[in-house]
């Protein structure tokens, strides 16, 4: 059945996490452990609560007026839902990439430098230059934009923009990167590039990715969680979940019978 | 199928025609209004002067008596003559308007004309002199100064307050519970405030600033305060709309990088909303510049022969001046009224042009 335990100490530990939007309950008592340095995929039909769960990890539900999160979530053993953690400092540790890449209306350089400037990560211009270059390299974008860093970030192609916002997230030097359907607006070639990138990044970061594509989840994730109607139905090593699902709903979903 | 298509095409053509007709009508109305003001006001841009010798006895109905008086007091006049302002009456007569002069006056004027003593030049009086009982000596200096002082004060008060209110309501005001209800009530009230007739603001100014606080009537300070009140809701609404139009994805992106709410507002939201806020603020400014009713209520209807030098001096404004002059029976006053309207329109055009240019520059920089 559902496997909550991990071999190593988890990065996140969620216990009976529920999320309400007004009177609507989007998540029901979810227990899940997320491993460090690996890719965890959240799959499920539209409206199953996977994006809501993703937004629990960086407290982005706080920005929704009538959202209420209950239960307990710890990151490295530290409670991140309570009042004693500052969501602002949490978000510096937990980066996020959205479905549609939305660069700031600034230059490519300023987009990447936004976070480091915010947190004072670089003292000199040379240091900032290094952070920007490093982040762009890690996001696999450096070779394409190194000669036009002062051009607006919004002028890049969709795939480049997605890697730009990824570089922007990396520049803050987070521990976790959350991705909300990062490939849904990309063409197949850009998607392949992004997936290769995720593969390379997982050695360093804890990556949690929401995806609609079962094939993508199977390709890139180490563990996969299947959510349905706000409940965590099944959570297991990706290979096992896709080849030998324990729940009939998981089976139906991954074989394309609904969702 | 093809019949339905033809019908749709006809409907579209009809709609387009109606749109063009509406635009044509609006243009026509605009041309008519501006054109008539231009035709009227152009006359006031020039004025006649007469060369008068110091010892000459002149009919005060023909040349400005006060000008003459000043000239005759002067001991060292050059080559015995001085150029003095023609009275509005003579000026209108010379411009071919319907003015009745006595036979004697006509003879005098004809003599002057033959001697080449009458000249027509740009009417500098209109821009450099304060208001006067005599149309030929009346100028817009009082009104221009008054309008500028009051507008500056109103902008200095209403802009920071209005933008700060909009930012607070947009990003920091409570959204839940009783605080949220209070926020919504505030929003509704500010929106309604913008629709309140401006004369009510004058009444408020009269009740609060003059009767309660005890400030003097018709001073620039009270006018500026009332205009600030008038501008405030416009600026709040425009700024809120501009802030709301910043895509939430952008602000979410900044939040996800660990920006604090204040950093998001000042580093991301405000710069992006800047052009919109600017346009809205200029709109409020232009509105305040044309405001008449509230100023009348706080006593700015007084005849003022001195330009205000400070906030506590009595002042008047351009639209009030237009209102005052429009009362004059002589054609010279109608001319000057139209000219004052032209100056007012020119100022508005200048402000709007500055806003457009500034906006274009801000948009370009992003």
């Amino acid at each position: 059945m559902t496997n909550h335990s991990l071999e190593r100490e988890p990065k996140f530990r969620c216990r009976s996490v529920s999320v309400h939007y007004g009177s609507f309950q989007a998540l029901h008592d979810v227990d899940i452990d997320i491993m460090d340095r690996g890719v965890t995929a959240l799959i499920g039909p539209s409206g199953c609560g996977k994006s809501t769960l993703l937004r629990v990890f960086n407290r982005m539900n706080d920005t929704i007026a009538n959202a209420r999160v209950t239960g307990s979530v710890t990151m490295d053993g530290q409670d991140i839902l309570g009042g004693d953690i500052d969501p602002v400092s949490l978000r510096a540790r937990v980066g996020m990439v959205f479905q549609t890449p939305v660069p700031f209306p600034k230059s490519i350089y300023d987009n990447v430098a936004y976070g480091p400037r915010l947190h004072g990560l670089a003292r000199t211009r040379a240091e900032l230059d290094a952070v920007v270059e490093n982040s762009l390299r890690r996001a696999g974008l450096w070779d394409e934009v190194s000669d036009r860093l002062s051009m607006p970030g919004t002028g890049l192609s969709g795939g480049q923009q997605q890697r730009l916002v990824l570089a922007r997230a990396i520049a803050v030097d987070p521990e976790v990167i959350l991705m909300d359907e990062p490939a849904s607006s990309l063409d197949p070639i850009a998607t392949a590039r992004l997936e290769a990138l995720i593969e390379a990044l997982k050695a360093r970061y804890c990556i949690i990715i929401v995806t609609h594509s079962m094939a993508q989840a199977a390709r890139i994730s180490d563990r996969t969680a299947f959510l349905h109607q706000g409940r965590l139905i099944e959570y297991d090593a990706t290979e096992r979940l896709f080849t030998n699902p324990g729940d009939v709903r998981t089976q139906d979903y991954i074989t394309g019978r609904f969702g | 199928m093809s019949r339905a298509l033809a019908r749709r095409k006809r409907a579209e053509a009809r709609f387009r025609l109606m749109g063009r007709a509406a635009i044509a009508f609006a243009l026509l109305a605009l041309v008519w209004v501006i054109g008539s003001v231009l035709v009227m006001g152009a006359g006031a841009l020039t004025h006649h002067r007469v060369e008068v010798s110091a010892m000459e006895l002149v009919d005060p109905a023909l040349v400005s008596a006060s000008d003459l008086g000043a000239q005759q007091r002067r001991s060292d006049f050059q080559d015995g003559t001085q150029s003095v302002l023609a009275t509005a009456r003579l000026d209108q007569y010379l411009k071919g308007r319907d003015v009745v002069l006595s036979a004697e006056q006509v003879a005098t004027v004809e003599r002057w004309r033959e001697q080449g003593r009458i000249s027509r030049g740009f009417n500098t009086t209109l821009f450099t002199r304060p208001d006067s009982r005599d149309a030929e000596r009346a100028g817009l200096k009082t009104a221009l100064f008054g309008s500028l002082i009051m507008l500056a004060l109103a902008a200095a008060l209403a802009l920071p307050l209005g933008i700060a209110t909009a930012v607070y309501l947009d990003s920091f005001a409570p959204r839940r519970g009783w605080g949220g209800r209070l926020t919504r009530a505030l929003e509704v009230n500010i929106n309604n405030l913008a629709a309140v007739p401006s004369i009510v603001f004058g009444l408020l100014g009269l009740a609060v600033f003059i009767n309660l606080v005890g400030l003097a009537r018709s001073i620039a300070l009270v006018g500026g305060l009332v205009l600030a009140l008038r501008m405030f809701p416009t600026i709040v609404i425009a700024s809120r709309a501009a802030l709301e139009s910043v895509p939430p994805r952008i602000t979410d992106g900044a939040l996800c990088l660990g920006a604090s709410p204040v950093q998001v507002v000042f580093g991301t939201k405000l710069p992006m909303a800047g052009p919109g806020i600017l346009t809205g603020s200029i709109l409020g400014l232009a509105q305040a510049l044309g405001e008449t009713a509230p100023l009348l209520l706080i006593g700015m209807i007084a005849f003022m022969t001195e330009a205000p030098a400070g906030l506590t001096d009595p002042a008047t404004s351009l639209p009030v001046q237009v209102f005052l002059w429009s009362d004059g029976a002589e054609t010279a006053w109608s001319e000057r009224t139209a000219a004052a309207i032209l100056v007012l329109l020119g100022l508005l055009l200048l402000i709007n042009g500055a806003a457009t240019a500034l906006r274009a520059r801000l948009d370009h920089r992003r």
Side-chain angles (χ1 to χ4, degrees):
Chain A
M1 253 314 286
T2 312
N3 183 356
H4 294 306
S5 58
L6 297 168
E7 304 76 31
R8 285 177 284 163
E9 190 57 28
K11 188 74 183 169
F12 290 103
R13 190 189 292 271
C14 301
R15 289 297 174 266
S16 56
V17 170
S18 296
V19 178
H20 294 259
Y21 295 123
S23 57
F24 171 74
Q25 187 167 4
L27 272 188
H28 296 262
D29 289 318
V30 171
D31 294 346
I32 192 170
D33 288 352
I34 307 284
M35 64 172 164
D36 202 357
R37 289 172 215 287
V39 179
T40 305
L42 307 179
I43 62 169
S46 294
C48 71
K50 50 195 193 305
S51 291
T52 301
L53 178 59
L54 194 72
R55 292 165 72 94
V56 165
F57 297 117
N58 66 345
R59 296 270 299 260
M60 275 306 274
N61 286 315
D62 290 14
T63 62
I64 298 167
N66 57 355
R68 192 160 47 86
V69 184
T70 56
S72 101
V73 181
T74 60
M75 178 179 179
D76 296 329
Q78 187 197 8
D79 176 31
I80 60 166
L81 282 192
D84 44 305
I85 184 146
D86 181 9
V88 171
S89 68
L90 175 70
R91 290 182 200 133
R93 292 166 67 197
V94 183
M96 188 166 193
V97 171
F98 295 94
Q99 192 168 355
T100 328
V102 184
F104 298 132
K106 304 172 181 222
S107 71
I108 294 171
Y109 184 96
D110 287 337
N111 259 282
V112 182
Y114 183 87
R117 278 182 181 143
L118 221 55
H119 302 292
L121 296 182
R123 267 165 315 217
T124 63
R125 179 77 191 192
E127 270 182 41
L128 192 59
D129 286 349
V131 170
V132 169
E133 178 179 344
N134 207 358
S135 307
L136 283 170
R137 273 190 199 287
R138 264 193 245 152
L141 193 59
W142 175 254
D143 295 333
E144 292 159 58
V145 300
S146 61
D147 55 339
R148 48 177 171 145
L149 290 176
S150 58
M151 303 282 277
T154 41
L156 296 173
S157 75
Q160 287 173 323
Q161 286 191 18
Q162 193 58 283
R163 278 177 284 147
L164 177 64
V165 295
L166 189 59
R168 193 173 76 180
I170 290 172
V172 187
D173 200 23
E175 300 157 34
V176 183
I177 301 176
L178 309 174
M179 299 185 182
D180 194 352
E181 296 182 41
S184 61
S185 62
L186 303 185
D187 63 65
I189 294 168
T191 303
R193 289 205 60 154
L194 185 75
E195 287 180 5
L197 201 58
I198 293 171
E199 191 67 34
L201 290 173
K202 74 176 188 184
R204 256 184 98 101
Y205 305 98
C206 163
I207 296 173
I208 309 176
I209 179 170
V210 162
T211 176
H212 258 126
S213 153
M214 253 96 50
Q216 187 175 56
R219 278 196 302 269
I220 61 173
S221 70
D222 303 297
R223 298 182 67 79
T224 299
F226 171 65
L227 287 95
H228 184 49
Q229 293 178 350
R231 287 169 213 282
L232 178 64
I233 305 300
E234 192 162 355
Y235 180 42
D236 211 333
T238 299
E239 227 180 82
R240 206 156 10 174
L241 187 123
F242 276 98
T243 53
N244 190 17
D247 193 287
V248 64
R249 284 168 293 187
T250 317
Q251 168 115 42
D252 285 352
Y253 182 69
I254 59 178
T255 51
R257 243 167 269 168
F258 77 92
Chain B
M1 177 69 187
S2 66
R3 260 191 22 223
L5 198 68
R7 203 164 56 233
R8 258 160 54 196
K9 270 191 177 149
R10 272 202 306 278
E12 265 170 43
R14 218 164 32 235
F15 185 75
R16 218 170 288 147
L17 197 74
M18 284 195 291
R20 289 210 184 110
I23 295 229
F25 179 76
L27 271 179
L28 215 68
L30 194 71
V31 165
W32 185 68
V33 167
I34 303 230
S36 61
V37 172
L38 262 175
V39 168
M40 272 304 286
L45 292 180
T46 58
H47 196 83
H48 287 89
R49 300 184 79 90
V50 183
E51 296 274 324
V52 181
S53 93
M55 297 308 155
E56 194 174 1
L57 265 176
V58 200
D59 186 351
L62 294 181
V63 294
S64 168
S66 41
D67 241 26
L68 207 59
Q71 185 254 347
Q72 282 177 340
R73 272 194 300 279
R74 221 178 272 188
S75 51
D76 54 339
F77 42 85
Q78 295 103 351
D79 50 33
T81 65
Q82 194 78 35
S83 151
V84 293
L85 276 176
T87 56
R89 221 172 132 70
L90 173 58
D91 183 61
Q92 293 298 305
Y93 174 79
L94 291 169
K95 281 175 184 161
R97 300 286 201 294
D98 191 16
V99 179
V100 182
L101 296 181
S102 69
E104 199 183 328
Q105 286 169 332
V106 171
T108 313
V109 171
E110 286 312 314
R111 182 162 48 85
W112 284 346
R113 205 180 274 178
E114 271 162 37
Q115 292 168 345
R117 284 161 70 178
I118 295 176
S119 60
R120 187 175 190 171
F122 183 68
N123 186 3
T124 48
T125 308
L126 188 64
F127 299 95
T128 56
R129 299 284 279 270
D131 197 10
S132 167
R133 291 272 181 229
D134 307 324
E136 69 270 14
R137 296 173 57 81
L140 286 169
K141 188 181 175 193
T142 328
L144 271 171
F145 270 57
S147 268
L148 290 182
I149 290 179
M150 287 191 275
L151 216 57
L153 176 66
L157 287 173
L159 277 182
L161 268 179
I163 294 173
T165 305
V167 166
Y168 178 78
L169 285 177
D170 182 77
S171 304
F172 300 108
R175 293 257 156 252
R176 302 181 218 205
W178 284 103
R181 264 176 227 191
L182 194 69
T183 307
R184 279 191 293 279
L186 262 177
E187 281 169 357
V188 169
N189 275 305
I190 289 179
N191 288 345
N192 285 339
L193 210 56
V196 166
S198 59
I199 197 154
V200 176
F201 285 92
L203 220 56
L204 180 77
L206 181 67
V208 175
F209 300 128
I210 295 178
N211 290 345
L212 201 69
V213 183
L215 294 171
R217 281 165 67 88
S218 69
I219 60 173
L221 178 64
V222 177
L225 288 172
V226 167
L227 290 185
L229 282 178
R230 184 78 190 94
M231 282 166 69
F232 177 74
T234 312
I235 293 174
V236 173
I237 290 170
S239 304
R240 279 219 62 184
L243 286 167
E244 264 167 17
S245 72
V246 175
R249 288 165 176 171
I250 299 258
T251 46
D252 277 0
L255 278 175
C256 281
L257 291 172
S260 69
V262 173
Q263 282 170 324
V264 170
V265 166
F266 287 98
T268 311
K269 266 197 130 166
L270 264 183
M272 287 192 73
I277 292 178
L278 194 81
T279 313
S281 304
I282 298 284
L283 211 69
L285 226 77
Q287 195 184 29
L289 179 64
E291 208 57 86
T292 326
L295 298 182
L296 295 182
L297 267 189
I298 56 163
M300 276 202 182
I301 193 159
F303 170 67
M304 215 78 63
T305 54
E306 225 172 296
L311 285 175
T312 50
D313 285 350
T316 190
S317 74
L318 273 174
V320 170
Q321 192 74 72
V322 168
F323 175 75
L324 286 173
W325 283 1
S326 68
D327 222 19
E330 300 157 51
T331 43
W333 285 117
S334 332
E335 263 185 17
R336 276 161 181 75
T337 307
I341 292 173
L342 281 182
V343 170
L344 185 59
L345 288 180
L347 260 181
L348 284 176
L349 210 67
L350 205 73
I351 293 179
N352 284 341
T356 313
L358 215 62
R359 191 190 169 123
R361 236 182 88 190
L362 281 178
D363 269 340
H364 181 74
R365 232 189 16 215
R366 302 199 279 174

